[in-house]
Amino acid sequence: MELTLLGTGAPLGLPRPDCSCAVCALSRGPGVRAATALLVDGALLLDLTPGAALAAARSGHSLVGVRQVLLTHPHDGPAVEVPAGLPTAGRVPDGRELTLISGHRVRAVPMDSPGTGYEVTSAEGATLLYLPPGGSPAGLPEDHRRPYDMVVVDVTGRPEALARLRATGAVGPATDVVAGHLDHDAPTGAELDRRLAAAGARAVPDGTTLYVGEYHEVPDVPRRTLVTGGARSGKSVEAERRLETFPDVLYVATGGGREGDPEPPRPVTSYRCSKGTGRRSWSTVCRCG
C-alpha cells in the first residue's frame, strides 16, 4: 500500500501564519509543514486540506484517481475548496466499514474527542491506522488481532494515544509510527527527531511517499535509560517525556541531600505508568541519605 503524506503539520500548518514563536521562525524551507493529509494508493484521500492538488503534484502524484475523500476532524474555519473532479468529502460513522472500488477496506475508529480515526486495509492485507489531531482511540479491544503495519498519529500532541495502542497490541515493535499533525508546541530539527526516536516514532517531510507493510528499520528504543543532571535541571521532565508513549514502564528517581539545602533528602521513588493511559502512579521504594 503506497502512502504519500501531502502534509504533516497541524490543521493551521507550520509555521502558523500569525505566530512569531521560535519554532515558527525556524520552520522555513524544508521545515515548512502543511496540514496533514494522506493519499493512499492514489485512490483514497484522508483529509482535504488547502492546496491538496498542488501538494500531490509536488510529490509526483495526482488526485485524478481519487474515488473517496474522508475527513477525520471537525473543520471550523472557511469552507475548503474541493478540487475539480474530486468526490464530495464525507465521514464514515464510528464502527462502520466502507469497501472501496479499489479494494481498500476502511473502518471508522471512535475517538475520545471530536473526530474520526480510520483503519485502512489494502487488498493485499497491509494495514494503516490514521488518527486525527489531538485524538486518541476510545473503546479499543483488550487484545488487538495483530499490530498495524503503520500508524500516523499525533505523537507530540497526544503521546498517551500511542501508549494505549501499545497496551492493546495495536502497535508492536515492528510498527512504523509516523508523527503527524506537528505543531509549534513541538521542537524542530534534530531535537524533534531525538524526542520522536525515544518514543519509537519518526517524522518525515511533506511529500514523502512510504510503503505500508514494507520492511523499515524502526527506531531502536532503549530498554534502560539513565538521565543525569544537577538538582532541578529538568531530569524528571525529560524522564517523564520519554515514558509517556509507553504503557508499562518503571521510572526510578533518586536524590540526596546537600549542605544548606532547605529541602529534605529525596527518597528513592519508583513510578509505574498506568497501563494504556500514560498516567503514572508512584510508591516509595526506600529512603536514602
Side-chain angles (χ1 to χ4, degrees):
M1 180 159 53
E2 182 185 83
L3 172 69
T4 300
L5 290 98
L6 304 182
T8 55
L12 293 178
L14 189 67
R16 292 194 180 190
D18 58 347
C19 182
S20 58
C21 75
V23 173
C24 287
L26 291 172
S27 298
R28 298 287 186 266
V32 171
R33 299 182 185 276
T36 301
L38 276 55
L39 179 62
V40 181
D41 283 335
L44 170 65
L45 181 61
L46 297 176
D47 278 334
L48 181 60
T49 55
L54 289 176
R58 290 191 189 97
S59 66
H61 296 76
S62 170
L63 300 184
V64 172
V66 172
R67 296 293 175 264
Q68 186 73 52
V69 181
L70 296 176
L71 303 177
T72 66
H73 56 94
H75 179 71
D76 300 326
V80 177
E81 181 180 354
V82 180
L86 278 187
T88 303
R91 193 185 301 271
V92 179
D94 287 351
R96 299 287 184 87
E97 186 172 292
L98 177 68
T99 301
L100 308 183
I101 194 171
S102 59
H104 297 86
R105 300 193 313 276
V106 183
R107 186 177 69 87
V109 179
M111 295 286 102
D112 64 357
S113 59
T116 306
Y118 291 109
E119 174 188 289
V120 182
T121 305
S122 70
E124 296 76 25
T127 54
L128 162 73
L129 178 66
Y130 174 51
L131 301 184
S136 178
L140 288 172
E142 288 296 324
D143 187 13
H144 201 268
R145 59 186 183 279
R146 77 176 180 90
Y148 292 108
D149 294 310
M150 183 180 290
V151 170
V152 181
V153 60
D154 189 355
V155 179
T156 58
R158 288 296 302 273
E160 70 275 17
L162 187 50
R164 289 181 183 178
L165 292 170
R166 286 192 167 114
T168 62
V171 167
T175 301
D176 190 2
V177 181
V178 180
H181 315 295
L182 290 163
D183 206 350
H184 64 180
D185 55 356
T188 60
E191 177 61 14
L192 174 64
D193 293 338
R194 183 189 72 84
R195 290 193 189 182
L196 291 177
R202 61 177 176 142
V204 297
D206 286 8
T208 300
T209 295
L210 305 172
Y211 295 92
V212 182
E214 180 184 58
Y215 173 77
H216 173 75
E217 286 192 11
V218 297
D220 187 15
V221 180
R223 295 177 62 86
R224 293 183 179 89
T225 303
L226 177 65
V227 181
T228 62
R232 300 170 186 81
S233 62
K235 299 187 300 297
S236 295
V237 172
E238 173 64 20
E240 292 180 6
R241 182 185 294 126
R242 287 172 175 264
L243 306 184
E244 56 192 358
T245 60
F246 295 93
D248 190 18
V249 295
L250 185 66
Y251 160 38
V252 178
T254 65
R258 295 184 304 172
E259 185 177 354
D261 193 336
E263 294 187 9
R266 182 177 184 176
V268 178
T269 307
S270 69
Y271 301 82
R272 184 174 297 276
C273 282
S274 301
K275 196 166 184 63
T277 65
R279 293 191 298 270
R280 280 165 287 283
S281 57
W282 64 272
S283 59
T284 299
V285 177
C286 63
R287 186 168 295 277
C288 66

